[in-house]
Amino acid sequence: NFSALKAGLKLLGLLEPGMGDWTKPRASDDPVQLALGPVLDRWFEARRERNFEVADHIRDDAAKIGVEFFVDKEKRGQVRFRHIGLSSEDFIRRLNDLAEKVYQ
């Protein structure tokens, strides 16, 4: 995972100014997007496989932390966030926990 590599290099102090555009933050470096991606991918996969029991379980678990997965009129998967009073750190931790759970 490229974003994880960049995060690790930054943590170790190995990213320096002038190393090029690849070191600059991107939308994909957003911790919420990084944590949400695997959960959303698994939800789409379960729906595509018509495994609605798994898809509904993922959707319901995500809703408990304020993330709503739904399908719009054009049959496109959508995500909506609802504030439920979690700190950013707690929200990301719970998303990561959910990602681990859906891939067990």
Side-chain angles (χ1 to χ4, degrees):
N1 176 321
F2 186 69
S3 295
L5 174 64
K6 280 179 40 180
L9 291 172
K10 182 176 180 182
L11 180 68
L12 293 171
L14 299 175
L15 292 183
E16 299 177 8
M19 292 182 81
D21 287 342
W22 71 274
T23 63
K24 295 180 182 168
R26 299 178 304 179
S28 62
D29 293 331
D30 177 14
V32 172
Q33 287 184 11
L34 291 172
L36 182 61
V39 178
L40 188 58
D41 289 346
R42 182 64 185 109
W43 179 70
F44 278 127
E45 179 182 318
R47 288 186 54 79
R48 198 173 33 255
E49 295 170 349
R50 303 190 68 74
N51 189 343
F52 297 113
E53 182 179 343
V54 169
D56 291 349
H57 186 71
I58 293 169
R59 182 202 59 213
D60 295 345
D61 282 354
K64 291 175 186 174
I65 60 171
V67 180
E68 298 176 8
F69 297 156
F70 63 98
V71 177
D72 65 16
K73 293 178 186 177
E74 289 80 32
K75 306 275 189 218
R76 294 177 302 193
Q78 301 289 325
V79 179
R80 181 173 31 228
F81 295 95
R82 184 174 35 87
H83 182 69
I84 61 169
L86 296 174
S87 69
S88 297
E89 294 82 14
D90 201 25
F91 177 71
I92 292 168
R93 181 183 54 76
R94 290 186 185 194
L95 264 179
N96 283 321
D97 291 347
L98 180 55
E100 288 179 20
K101 180 179 174 183
V102 301
Y103 278 105
Q104 287 182 354

